[in-house]
Amino acid sequence: MSEVKLIITGPPGAGKTTAIAAISETPPVRTDTRTTDDLSSVKEETTVAMDFGEITLGDGQKVFLYGTPGQKRFEFMWKILVEGGLGLIILLDCSRPEPLDDLNMYLENFSDFIEKTGVVVGITRTGGANPPEMGAFYECLESTGRTFPMFEVDIREREDVALLIDALISTLEFSH
Amino acid sequence: MTQYKFSEKSEAFCQEIFAQMLSSSDAIYGILISTVDGHDVAKNFRKDMPASKLSAMMSSILALGETIAAEAQQQQCRYVIVENSDGYILTLKLKDRLVLSVIATTRVNLGMLHSVSRNAAEKLAAHIR
């Protein structure tokens, strides 16, 4: 594998754009536009097509990172972006009302892709009031018959994003 | 969910402009105003088409056009045209929060479609707050 395409998905505000910006070696490509709905109380801009960034691993392997829009109305972009993808990072935001439902929604919508690839889950913003325990996320995964690496991360930190990518690459190498 | 919505007066003005556009060429069969983040706001379709899905797609394609223009150092993206075997879709920004999309068959002259769309966008932009 000299070039690897990885997909980062998750609900709006989970940190997909931030994660790519935190780790990309080149200025990230963004398609942010102004939010005009309820989301505007949380963030001024949202991704409507894709984010893109790239990194080079120690062995010279290039990793291309594609961030999806989070909203379900952009589901068509999810299908476009997973084409040729080798792995999926799902970011979940614990400050949202129902992060476990978010996990189930992304597992269901990316199920075809998940069946043939590796997945890593990043749990973000766990510092708020009553976030679900990590165990609840594992139980949620297990109830769908799946087990994926899962990490609590601060997506603004380059090292945390690198952890997710390293774990995903390891998963892919192990399974191929 | 709270979404961007026109006042009754603005909606009526839009429909008036849409009617003028449709009467200028019978090849034009769909006009849609959506938000930059992909919600439909106003439309006049002569065919049954999914306005909400198209709104999200128009938002994506215009954002990609703008991003590609910036990456290629060509400054501001003025419009995006999708040319298909059975027609054209022209999409352009309408002020800072809206997107105007015009859908037509191949019977339309592309220059004419462009002119009708730009003129309508200017009138709409001058009226809509």
Side-chain angles (χ1 to χ4, degrees):
Chain A
M1 291 193 294
S2 60
E3 289 182 355
V4 178
K5 175 180 177 180
L6 303 180
I7 318 300
I8 303 182
T9 196
K16 302 176 291 294
T17 302
T18 305
I20 290 176
I23 201 160
S24 179
E25 293 163 355
T26 55
V29 173
R30 296 177 172 186
T31 57
D32 292 350
T33 63
R34 192 167 160 176
T35 46
T36 67
D37 53 21
D38 291 346
L39 190 61
S40 60
S41 62
V42 181
K43 54 193 286 204
E44 288 181 0
E45 293 192 322
T46 191
T47 300
V48 294
M50 57 178 270
D51 296 311
F52 174 81
E54 52 187 298
I55 56 170
T56 312
L57 301 182
D59 58 1
Q61 190 174 59
K62 278 272 183 194
V63 177
F64 299 126
L65 300 168
Y66 288 74
T68 72
Q71 297 90 334
K72 184 102 167 49
R73 65 180 180 278
F74 294 108
E75 189 180 1
F76 62 92
M77 281 305 305
W78 302 351
K79 289 173 183 162
I80 292 170
L81 291 172
V82 298
E83 278 295 316
L86 285 185
L88 180 69
I89 295 172
I90 301 175
L91 294 180
L92 298 170
D93 175 0
C94 278
S95 70
R96 282 171 56 88
E98 301 291 346
L100 295 172
D101 289 350
D102 289 339
L103 175 59
N104 278 320
M105 195 274 275
Y106 288 95
L107 290 175
E108 190 182 323
N109 280 279
F110 284 86
S111 60
D112 290 347
F113 184 54
I114 288 171
E115 265 177 39
K116 53 190 178 192
T117 189
V119 180
V120 167
V121 180
I123 311 290
T124 71
R125 296 201 184 98
T126 52
N130 303 318
E133 298 285 331
M134 285 291 275
F137 287 103
Y138 281 115
E139 279 172 24
C140 185
L141 269 182
E142 280 165 12
S143 70
T144 66
R146 298 173 172 117
T147 310
F148 301 136
M150 194 177 297
F151 302 93
E152 193 178 316
V153 288
D154 180 343
I155 218 63
R156 297 165 298 184
E157 298 295 331
R158 189 184 184 285
E159 292 73 20
D160 284 17
V161 183
L163 171 70
L164 293 173
I165 292 170
D166 287 344
L168 185 52
I169 300 276
S170 301
T171 303
L172 294 171
E173 284 173 347
F174 182 73
S175 59
H176 285 89
Chain B
M1 178 187 273
T2 310
Q3 281 181 217
Y4 186 99
K5 214 176 160 190
F6 282 150
S7 65
E8 274 183 32
K9 200 174 159 192
S10 291
E11 172 71 29
F13 183 77
C14 283
Q15 291 303 334
E16 196 183 311
I17 297 293
F18 291 173
Q20 288 171 16
M21 294 169 78
L22 290 165
S23 65
S24 70
S25 168
D26 59 7
I28 297 175
Y29 64 92
I31 308 164
L32 172 68
I33 294 179
S34 46
T35 62
V36 288
D37 59 343
H39 296 290
D40 59 301
V41 181
K43 67 174 191 292
N44 190 327
F45 287 173
R46 284 177 175 164
K47 267 188 188 177
D48 186 26
M49 293 182 285
S52 53
K53 196 185 267 186
L54 284 171
S55 295
M57 289 173 166
M58 299 309 184
S59 143
S60 297
I61 199 163
L62 192 60
L64 277 173
E66 290 174 345
T67 305
I68 292 165
E71 288 293 320
Q73 297 171 21
Q74 294 193 349
Q75 300 194 42
Q76 195 180 6
C77 173
R78 291 188 182 144
Y79 52 89
V80 173
I81 292 176
V82 181
E83 185 175 346
N84 310 302
S85 55
D86 286 349
Y88 302 100
I89 300 164
L90 189 147
T91 301
L92 69 166
K93 193 95 159 258
L94 186 58
K95 303 194 91 168
D96 60 342
R97 282 200 284 182
L98 299 172
V99 176
L100 172 68
S101 301
V102 185
I103 305 170
T105 68
T106 48
R107 291 199 315 277
V108 77
N109 173 299
L110 191 52
M112 171 75 179
L113 178 65
H114 187 207
S115 156
V116 167
S117 306
R118 286 295 292 269
N119 288 339
E122 281 172 18
K123 286 181 196 166
L124 289 163
H127 188 276
I128 296 165
R129 296 198 179 275

